[in-house]
Structures are given as structure tokens and as C-alpha cells.
Amino acid sequence: MVTPIRGDFASIPLNAEARQIGNAWDPAKDTAAGEQCKSYGAPAIMRVPGRLHITWADENTLKIETDAGTQTRLLHFAGSAPHGGEPTWQGYSIANWERPVRGSGAPGFGLGATREGARGKSLEVTTTQLRAGYLRKNGPPYSENTVLKEYYDLHKERNGDTWFTVTTVVQDPKYLMEPFVTSTDFKKIPDGAGWSPSACIAK
């Protein structure tokens, strides 16, 4: 994976103001300002190549650690509400299990089958209180007004491999003309042999 060239914002529905900001991207300036993590915020981190370590921090908080940029996301269950703190790269995430699209039982074929995940449920996450950052390494911005919605679906292949797909929907009334939607797949590996934490880099 390489950093896209300046001005390459393919598939991101940026408005004119956002394109102007993106075209002025200067990684050296970000580094000097101590903002080399701008492309590692929650709206972008699941697209950054790397590995995840997922554990329960407590009975109501799921923790996702990334080796790329050494970021930590906390997904809060049990009717949590934003705490009103300062905006951060990972924001404040509220999680809940979706109701099955087709009721109980294993997912069937057709509409909705891929949205049901494990045991007929998908994990839905909404994140707010975000610090403004980049949607990709080369500077396309998202603002502090961004709302991030994610849908996590667990599935197993016939050969026994376990995967999850996260569908990411970024909504930003300041810089996006419409929601920016992506999906990313992760494969479960048997151990942490490949885990390699690395600091944020601006380019």
C-alpha cells in the first residue's frame, strides 16, 4: 500500500471546500504540528493496512487496538451516552446488537443475508466527538461534526476460516456531499505473531 498522490480523492464525495483543503495537504506541516495521526482517526482507521487486537476491556466495553498508529477504540454497550469530553481521534463510540433482519435462525440467501452476521445479529456502532482529521493519508478532510456509523458482520468460510466485515458510513455535513461508504474485511489469525505496533506517520 502506498500513499495516494496529492489530489487523488477517487470515490470520496468531497465538496469544493474539502477538495481545496485536500489539495493543500502538506505532510511535513502536519508532522511539525504534531498531527501525524490525522489519517488514523476512527473514520479512517479501519482502512489503514494493519492488524487488530480485539478484547473486552470490561463487561460493557469492547476494545479494538490497532498496530498501525497504535490506536485504541472503545465501543461502549449497555445504553451508554456520550460523556461530553474533548474530541479525540477515536471519538466516543456507542455499540449495540442489531435485531435480525429475518428473525431467528441462520441467515438465508437474498436481500439482508449479508447483514445478519453471527447468530443473526450485526454489531452497530455510532461514533461522535471526533477530532477533525483525514479520510485518507493524502489529506481529504473530515470535520469535528462528523458522525461515523459502522456495521460489523462475523462470518465463517467452509474451510473454517473466521472473518468479519466492517461497513463504514461517514456522514459529514461540512465536507461531504453525501455519506462516504466503504467496507473492509479482516481474517482471524491463530496468534499474535504478526502483531507489529507502529507510530502514526503523516505520509
Side-chain angles (χ1 to χ4, degrees):
M1 301 292 289
V2 297
T3 300
I5 62 172
R6 182 182 285 107
D8 180 0
F9 308 131
S11 80
I12 307 178
L14 300 174
N15 61 24
E17 180 183 3
R19 287 184 172 275
Q20 184 176 8
I21 293 171
N23 285 326
W25 170 65
D26 185 344
K29 184 177 179 180
D30 287 340
T31 299
E35 294 192 327
Q36 56 268 45
C37 289
K38 290 184 78 170
S39 64
Y40 294 81
I45 191 62
M46 303 304 278
R47 298 288 287 176
V48 177
R51 291 176 170 81
L52 308 178
H53 183 224
I54 303 175
T55 56
W56 287 97
D58 58 49
E59 62 181 9
N60 292 315
T61 309
L62 189 66
K63 180 165 67 173
I64 302 177
E65 299 170 278
T66 73
D67 64 354
T70 58
Q71 300 295 303
T72 299
R73 301 190 62 190
L74 298 175
L75 313 186
H76 304 276
F77 289 80
S80 300
H83 52 49
E86 289 294 318
T88 64
W89 296 127
Q90 303 310 320
Y92 191 87
S93 299
I94 297 174
N96 64 82
W97 296 106
E98 288 187 313
R99 293 184 177 182
V101 176
R102 296 176 180 271
S104 60
F109 293 102
L111 183 64
T114 60
R115 289 291 311 118
E116 295 188 12
R119 287 174 280 177
K121 293 183 179 180
S122 297
L123 179 63
E124 182 183 65
V125 180
T126 300
T127 301
T128 55
Q129 296 181 201
L130 287 159
R131 184 176 175 182
Y134 297 149
L135 293 168
R136 286 185 186 153
K137 186 77 79 173
N138 63 336
Y142 65 84
S143 76
E144 66 282 354
N145 299 320
T146 293
V147 175
L148 172 66
K149 291 185 178 292
E150 297 168 290
Y151 305 89
Y152 292 75
D153 294 287
L154 186 70
H155 49 96
K156 290 190 175 183
E157 300 295 327
R158 292 182 179 178
N159 65 359
D161 289 346
T162 299
W163 293 73
F164 78 82
T165 300
V166 55
T167 301
T168 301
V169 182
V170 182
Q171 300 170 310
D172 183 2
K174 185 173 182 178
Y175 291 137
L176 295 178
M177 295 185 291
E178 60 186 56
F180 176 45
V181 183
T182 58
S183 64
T184 311
D185 298 304
F186 292 89
K187 179 183 177 181
K188 184 178 181 180
I189 57 176
D191 55 47
W195 182 254
S196 181
S198 59
C200 299
I201 55 174
K203 185 175 182 180

